[in-house]
Amino acid sequence: MARLDSLRIFAEVVQTRNFTSAAKHLNLTPSAVSKQIGMLEAKLGVRLLNRTTRTVNPTEAGQLYFERAKHILEELDEAEALIADMDSTPRGTLKIAAEPIFGRAILGRILANFKEEFPQVTAELFLTDHSLELVKQGFDAGIHLGHLQDPALVTETFANHSVVLCASSEYLERFGHPKNVAELESHRLIKISSMEFHQPRQLDDYFANLGVQKGFHLTVNDTDLAYHSAIMGAGIAPLPNYLVTPQFERGRLVRVLPDIVTDAHPVQLVLPANRHLSSKTSSFKHFLMHYFRR
């Protein structure tokens, strides 16, 4: 058992690249984690990790050991899950990684409803642009926007998303409704550009694909900022339908040029391939599918 504990600690340190973060995830002290790694290196007679003041990285031997250890731990977790699922009641911690835009817009409400139906499941939601990597590293599921081709992952499409052009009613009362694409260039446009943060290409390229070259009153690198700027009357912005539909219903935003239709892209639940699907994850998958069918 002590050897398995060392494997888990080592794998967590490699994945987090930090002793303190690994200790926090494992409910240990950093000194206990460091001691276990030291004992493991002494036992193997080789250095597994290169340590700096800010980060920890595996050596060549450490990377090889990590890949084998990770496989062993996954097999053990699957065996334990199979036994645990003999009791079919979904329970335990469900760790979900999701792209930030979709997560902030809708997943909080979905998980609250899921919790009502499955009270013995505790959800942990992580918003990150690296959701697929987290699923590979052991998260139960991820939410991915767009098509995905990765043999290490399987997907289930549960919704579609597209981009719509919108503005606040206050803005449109002040500046008027554009009647066609050409008139957009005389309006105050909010352009979304990746710059630093990852954004879906549909948002990045929206105005360029329409042939609009000017009129950009505000350029931002964050969809949430564009969304709130539009609500505050700063201009016309292209935004994801799942983000703005509730605001259309409340009257806070108005659809602009509704005849413009963009391609719909899938919203996918991402699961690790070749891994037993626990009852909590299976329940979440079916809940998600049913939620969007409704």
Side-chain angles (χ1 to χ4, degrees):
M1 184 60 69
R3 191 169 183 182
L4 282 174
D5 289 342
S6 296
L7 282 180
R8 289 195 184 278
I9 292 170
F10 171 71
E12 190 68 33
V13 170
V14 173
Q15 288 171 167
T16 60
R17 296 292 199 268
N18 186 279
F19 280 102
T20 302
S21 297
K24 184 177 180 180
H25 290 171
L26 295 167
N27 292 319
L28 298 171
T29 63
S31 60
V33 170
S34 180
K35 181 179 179 180
Q36 285 289 330
I37 297 299
M39 291 171 61
L40 185 60
E41 288 179 325
K43 179 179 178 61
L44 296 173
V46 63
R47 178 177 289 276
L48 297 173
L49 300 171
N50 289 320
R51 303 152 173 84
T52 68
T53 55
R54 292 189 176 183
T55 188
V56 178
N57 292 293
T59 63
E60 183 178 358
Q63 185 62 39
L64 177 63
Y65 192 68
F66 168 72
E67 291 169 1
R68 297 296 180 90
K70 185 170 179 288
H71 178 71
I72 291 168
L73 293 171
E74 286 174 351
E75 291 288 332
L76 179 61
D77 288 342
E78 183 173 353
E80 292 176 348
L82 283 168
I83 300 302
D85 280 354
M86 292 177 69
D87 175 2
S88 59
T89 302
R91 67 180 76 239
T93 301
L94 178 70
K95 297 179 70 173
I96 303 167
E99 295 193 2
I101 304 169
F102 187 85
R104 283 191 290 262
I106 197 169
L107 275 184
R109 181 168 68 252
I110 291 173
L111 289 173
N113 293 344
F114 177 75
K115 179 70 174 178
E116 290 181 6
E117 189 167 334
F118 301 97
Q120 296 189 58
V121 177
T122 300
E124 290 186 2
L125 176 59
F126 293 77
L127 300 183
T128 172
D129 289 330
H130 305 290
S131 57
L132 302 182
E133 289 304 315
L134 290 182
V135 175
K136 290 180 182 178
Q137 292 171 8
F139 274 57
D140 297 297
I143 305 293
H144 177 72
L145 276 61
H147 296 279
L148 175 66
Q149 291 184 337
D150 190 324
L153 300 168
V154 296
T155 61
E156 297 270 1
T157 298
F158 61 87
N160 289 290
H161 71 98
S162 58
V163 177
V164 296
L165 206 56
C166 56
S168 70
S169 55
E170 291 80 7
Y171 172 88
L172 295 172
E173 287 172 6
R174 181 180 177 188
F175 296 101
H177 290 253
K179 298 180 178 62
N180 51 52
V181 171
E183 288 190 6
L184 286 175
E185 293 190 343
S186 63
H187 275 265
R188 298 185 174 190
L189 305 180
I190 301 172
K191 181 180 179 181
I192 301 175
S193 175
S194 287
M195 292 189 285
E196 179 180 356
F197 300 136
H198 166 76
Q199 301 289 349
R201 297 304 304 176
Q202 297 157 284
L203 298 177
D204 245 9
D205 301 336
Y206 186 88
F207 287 117
N209 289 337
L210 293 180
V212 176
Q213 301 296 326
K214 59 183 181 178
F216 304 121
H217 176 71
L218 177 65
T219 299
V220 301
N221 69 333
D222 180 72
T223 305
D224 272 350
L225 180 55
Y227 166 71
H228 288 291
S229 297
I231 287 179
M232 296 300 293
I236 300 173
L239 293 166
N241 60 337
Y242 55 80
L243 185 61
V244 297
T245 297
Q247 303 309 327
F248 291 160
E249 296 168 354
R250 298 184 181 103
R252 298 181 70 188
L253 289 174
V254 177
R255 183 86 180 261
V256 174
L257 298 178
D259 290 338
I260 297 177
V261 179
T262 63
D263 293 336
H265 290 256
V267 183
Q268 297 182 320
L269 179 68
V270 181
L271 304 166
N274 303 317
R275 189 179 298 174
H276 168 71
L277 201 61
S278 66
S279 62
K280 63 186 177 184
T281 306
S282 179
S283 297
F284 179 69
K285 182 182 80 169
H286 293 302
F287 181 89
L288 205 57
M289 300 295 178
H290 182 64
Y291 184 95
F292 280 91
R293 278 199 299 269
R294 288 183 304 187

